[in-house]
């Protein structure tokens, strides 16, 4: 009877230890699962952050390119305006010079005529 009791107690101890081991194993597995989930969440968050950074960089590059094109267009318009203004100034100078030359020629002709008339009078 004693041996039977001992063997039953031994069996119960063995079963209890096995159950404790299973409980510890379940805990460890649960912790590992939580760790994996946390790692996956971190990786996903990191991927999303990187995607946001990439998207922001892409938008900034597009905006910079757009601003550069707008600046170049404005500079081209300004240069064209300056060229037109310079052409107008040059045309005005040329016109003035031609008027001055014509006036000089007319004055010269009038003076010449006056001189001839004065010589005819003498």
């Amino acid at each position: 009877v004693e041996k039977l009791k001992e063997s039953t107690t031994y069996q119960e101890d063995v079963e209890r230890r096995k159950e404790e081991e299973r409980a510890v194993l379940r805990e460890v597995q649960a912790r590992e699962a939580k760790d994996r989930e946390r790692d996956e969440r971190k990786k996903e968050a990191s991927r999303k952050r990187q995607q946001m950074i990439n998207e922001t960089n892409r938008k900034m590059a597009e905006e910079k390119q757009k601003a550069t094109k707008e600046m170049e267009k404005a500079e081209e318009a300004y240069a064209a305006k300056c060229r037109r203004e310079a052409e107008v100034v040059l045309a005005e100078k040329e016109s003035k010079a031609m008027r001055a030359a014509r006036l000089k020629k007319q004055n010269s002709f009038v003076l010449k005529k006056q001189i001839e008339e004065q010589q005819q009078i003498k």
Side-chain angles (χ1 to χ4, degrees), residues 14 19 25 32-34 36-37 39 43 46 48 52 54 60 64-65 75-76 81 84 98 110 115 117 119-120:
V14 168
E19 187 55 41
L25 183 61
E32 287 175 350
K34 283 182 183 180
R36 280 193 303 273
E37 288 174 12
D39 289 345
K43 285 179 185 177
S46 178
K48 285 183 180 181
M52 286 175 51
N54 292 343
M60 287 173 59
K64 182 178 178 182
Q65 187 176 22
E75 287 175 356
E76 287 175 12
K81 178 184 169 203
R84 285 191 303 274
M98 288 176 68
V110 169
I115 292 173
E117 285 177 3
Q119 284 178 350
Q120 284 178 0

Side-chain angles (χ1 to χ4, degrees), residues 1-118:
V1 177
E2 282 293 317
K3 285 194 176 195
L4 188 59
K5 283 183 181 178
E6 282 180 20
S7 114
T8 307
T9 307
Y10 177 77
Q11 288 290 336
E12 289 172 357
D13 284 345
V14 168
E15 280 302 315
R16 189 172 34 80
R17 277 192 230 121
K18 282 183 181 179
E19 187 55 41
E20 287 172 358
E21 286 176 6
R22 281 187 231 130
V24 169
L25 183 61
R26 281 192 299 270
E27 265 184 50
V28 168
Q29 288 172 338
R31 260 188 262 130
E32 287 175 350
K34 283 182 183 180
D35 289 346
R36 280 193 303 273
E37 288 174 12
R38 186 179 61 245
D39 289 345
E40 282 301 314
R41 282 193 306 271
K42 282 183 181 179
K43 285 179 185 177
E44 183 62 26
S46 178
R47 274 193 295 270
K48 285 183 180 181
R49 249 190 328 273
Q50 190 60 45
Q51 285 175 341
M52 286 175 51
I53 290 169
N54 292 343
E55 183 65 19
T56 301
N57 288 345
R58 185 188 61 77
K59 285 180 181 179
M60 287 173 59
E62 285 176 358
E63 289 173 7
K64 182 178 178 182
Q65 187 176 22
K66 182 180 176 184
T68 301
K69 284 182 181 179
E70 288 175 1
M71 182 75 98
E72 288 172 355
K73 191 175 181 179
E75 287 175 356
E76 287 175 12
Y78 179 74
K81 178 184 169 203
C82 289
R83 276 193 302 275
R84 285 191 303 274
E85 289 174 356
E87 288 170 358
V88 167
V89 168
L90 288 174
E92 287 175 358
K93 279 185 176 181
E94 190 176 314
S95 176
K96 248 186 192 179
M98 288 176 68
R99 278 193 307 255
R102 209 177 18 229
L103 188 60
K104 192 174 180 182
K105 195 174 185 179
Q106 284 177 350
N107 286 342
S108 182
F109 178 74
V110 169
L111 282 174
K112 195 175 187 182
K113 202 172 189 185
Q114 285 176 352
I115 292 173
E116 287 174 359
E117 285 177 3
Q118 291 234 347

